[in-house]
Amino acid sequence: MDGSFVPRNNIEEAILLLMILLRKVTLNRIEWDPSILDHLSFALSVSGYLMILANQLKELLPGTIHRKERFYALALCYYGAGKNVEALDLLRKLLSNREDPRHVPSLLMASKICCENFSVTKDPGVSFARMALENLDGRCNQLENMANFLLGVSLSAYSKLAISDAERVKRQSEALHTLETACKLSRMEDPVVLYHLSLEYAEQRKLDATLHYAKCIVKLEVGSNVKGWLLLSRVLSAQKRFLDAESIINAALDQTGKWDQGDLLRTKAKLQIAQGQLKSAIETYTQLLAVLQVHSKSFGSRNKLFKDKRDQIRNLEVEVWHDLSYVYISLSQWRDAEACLFKISGHQTILFY
C-alpha cells in the first residue's frame, strides 16, 4: 500500500512484526504472550532504539505486565538512552512505600546511576547500596558482590563531600573495606572490581597496592582491555618510572587494534613530554590525529547507536590539539601553536597573553 513502511533488513522486519503483534494484544485480538515483549525488547535494544521501546512499554494496557516490572524496564530504557535523571526518578517511584522499597535490582541500579552521575544527582548512592545489602542478607553471592562493589564506589564519591579530614578518612577507609570485600567475594576474578579497588588505593596515594592490583587486572584480562594498560602505566608514571610506563604503553599498542589506540597514544605522548622528548611527542600526537581521522570517517555515516562514540572521538581530538599547541609553545613554534588553536576555535585570530 502507498505510504507503508518497507523494512530494510531482518532486524527492522522483526521489529515491525513484533510491534504489529503487540498492537493486536492491545486491541484484544490475540492473547497476551510475554515472549512478544521479550523479543521486541531485544530487537529494539540491539538497534539502539531504547526510547521507542519505552514508548511501547507505556502503551501497554494496565495489567498486561506487573507495574513493578514496567517501572524497572522503563528505567532501564531511560538509562540506556542516557536519560539518567529520568531513570533515577522512575526508580525512586518504584522504591517508594507505595510500590516496593525492597526491590533489590532497582536499589542496585539506583546506586549505580548515582555513582556514575554524582555531579548531577548530588547523591552518591550510599543509602541505596546499603539497603540492597540489608535486603539480600547473604542470599545471593553475586548480588551481594555487586552491592558491596557499588557501596565501595559510592563511599569513595561520598568521601569527597566530607567537611573534616577525619570524616573523609573514615569514609575512604570504609570504601576500601567494602571494595576489598567485593574483591574477595568475586575471588579476584572480576576486573571491574579490581579496577576500582586499584583506583581507591591510588586516591589514597598507596601506590604499591595500586600497582599490585593494576598488574592483576592486566594479567586477568590477558591485556585485552585498554583501561588496565592505562592504569598500570599511569601508576608507574606517578612513581616517576617514565621509561617503564612507556614500555607498558608500547606493549599495549602491540596487542591492541587501531580502533582502541587513542588514549594509549595520548598517554605515550604525555610520557614523552615528561621525559623532555618533545619532538617524539609531536610525532605521537600526529599519529594519534591520523587514527582519529579514520575513526571519524568510519562512524560518520553510522546511525545514532554510535553517537556516544562520535562524541568521544570529537572530544579527544579537541584535547589532542590543545596538547599539541602547548608542545609547540614550549618549542617557541608560534605559528604551529596558532594553527593548532585555530583547529579548535575556528577563528582566524588567536591572541596570546
Side-chain angles (χ1 to χ4, degrees):
M1 294 183 293
D2 291 339
S4 61
F5 173 74
V6 180
R8 295 173 296 180
N9 52 51
N10 289 343
I11 288 287
E12 287 192 354
E13 186 174 0
I15 291 171
L16 177 61
L17 292 170
L18 290 164
M19 288 177 75
I20 290 171
L21 287 173
L22 207 58
R23 181 59 57 86
K24 288 186 176 182
V25 169
T26 304
L27 297 173
N28 290 320
R29 292 181 182 175
I30 61 173
E31 292 184 5
W32 167 243
D33 183 349
S35 64
I36 298 173
L37 185 58
D38 292 341
H39 288 295
L40 181 60
S41 298
F42 176 77
L44 288 172
S45 297
V46 298
S47 303
Y49 298 115
L50 290 167
M51 291 313 298
I52 293 177
L53 176 57
N55 291 333
Q56 292 297 311
L57 289 166
K58 289 176 184 177
E59 290 176 5
L60 290 175
L61 292 174
T64 305
I65 61 174
H66 196 279
R67 182 179 171 86
K68 178 170 62 178
E69 184 183 348
R70 186 200 297 257
F71 270 131
Y72 185 63
L74 279 171
L76 284 171
C77 289
Y78 281 116
Y79 174 70
K83 297 179 180 294
N84 300 309
V85 175
E86 291 87 343
L88 188 59
D89 288 342
L90 279 169
L91 291 170
R92 282 179 171 143
K93 287 181 182 178
L94 196 158
L95 293 167
S96 66
N97 290 328
R98 291 181 56 189
E99 299 295 337
D100 186 1
R102 299 168 61 87
H103 190 241
V104 172
S106 295
L107 288 167
L108 293 175
M109 186 180 173
S111 181
K112 178 178 172 64
I113 292 173
C114 288
C115 291
E116 294 174 347
N117 303 273
F118 180 46
S119 60
V120 177
T121 63
K122 306 302 181 185
D123 179 357
V126 175
S127 58
F128 291 122
R130 288 195 195 280
M131 203 176 300
L133 275 172
E134 290 174 8
N135 290 322
L136 281 166
D137 195 24
R139 287 176 292 143
C140 177
N141 285 338
Q142 287 79 9
L143 288 178
E144 189 175 352
N145 171 41
M146 177 59 68
N148 272 294
F149 164 68
L150 290 171
L151 179 57
V153 177
S154 300
L155 284 166
S156 180
Y158 191 37
S159 67
K160 296 175 175 61
L161 294 177
I163 298 174
S164 67
D165 288 341
E167 186 66 26
R168 177 178 54 80
V169 170
K170 180 183 176 182
R171 292 173 187 176
Q172 285 183 332
S173 178
E174 192 177 353
L176 203 56
H177 173 70
T178 51
L179 286 170
E180 286 173 342
T181 301
C183 197
K184 290 174 184 176
L185 286 171
S186 62
R187 299 178 182 179
M188 295 280 289
E189 294 178 352
D190 189 332
V192 177
V193 175
L194 285 170
Y195 182 80
H196 282 273
L197 178 58
S198 184
L199 283 182
E200 187 57 33
Y201 272 117
E203 187 78 24
Q204 300 183 32
R205 305 304 296 170
K206 299 176 181 178
L207 295 182
D208 289 338
T210 305
L211 184 61
H212 168 71
Y213 286 110
K215 288 179 178 177
C216 289
I217 295 167
V218 173
K219 184 178 180 181
L220 182 63
E221 296 180 324
V222 200
S224 61
N225 192 334
V226 171
K227 289 176 70 175
W229 289 110
L230 286 170
L231 177 61
L232 182 55
S233 68
R234 286 167 181 169
V235 176
L236 291 168
S237 175
Q239 294 179 331
K240 305 298 181 183
R241 297 164 59 181
F242 299 121
L243 283 175
D244 292 336
E246 190 174 352
S247 296
I248 290 295
I249 293 295
N250 287 332
L253 289 168
D254 289 339
Q255 298 187 37
T256 307
K258 287 286 185 185
W259 293 105
D260 300 314
Q261 290 187 353
D263 289 327
L264 289 171
L265 287 169
R266 190 181 182 208
T267 302
K268 181 178 179 178
K270 286 182 174 293
L271 289 168
Q272 289 168 333
I273 292 171
Q275 297 172 78
Q277 301 170 4
L278 299 185
K279 291 186 177 180
S280 296
I282 290 172
E283 292 177 5
T284 304
Y285 278 128
T286 303
Q287 183 183 351
L288 172 53
L289 287 169
V291 171
L292 293 177
Q293 188 174 18
V294 173
H295 283 359
S296 297
K297 290 181 179 178
S298 299
F299 288 108
S301 59
R302 305 291 182 87
N303 63 23
K304 63 181 180 180
L305 186 62
F306 297 95
K307 182 181 181 299
D308 290 341
K309 189 68 176 179
R310 290 198 304 270
D311 292 342
Q312 183 182 346
I313 291 168
R314 290 193 192 103
N315 292 336
L316 180 56
E317 186 175 359
V318 169
E319 291 169 357
V320 169
W321 284 117
H322 268 297
D323 292 348
L324 198 51
S325 67
Y326 286 125
V327 176
Y328 282 128
I329 289 171
S330 300
L331 293 169
S332 299
Q333 296 180 214
W334 309 112
R335 289 186 179 277
D336 292 326
E338 185 177 3
C340 292
L341 294 172
F342 178 72
K343 288 283 187 180
I344 302 166
S345 66
H347 297 293
Q348 294 291 336
T349 305
I350 300 294
L351 299 178
F352 292 96
Y353 295 93

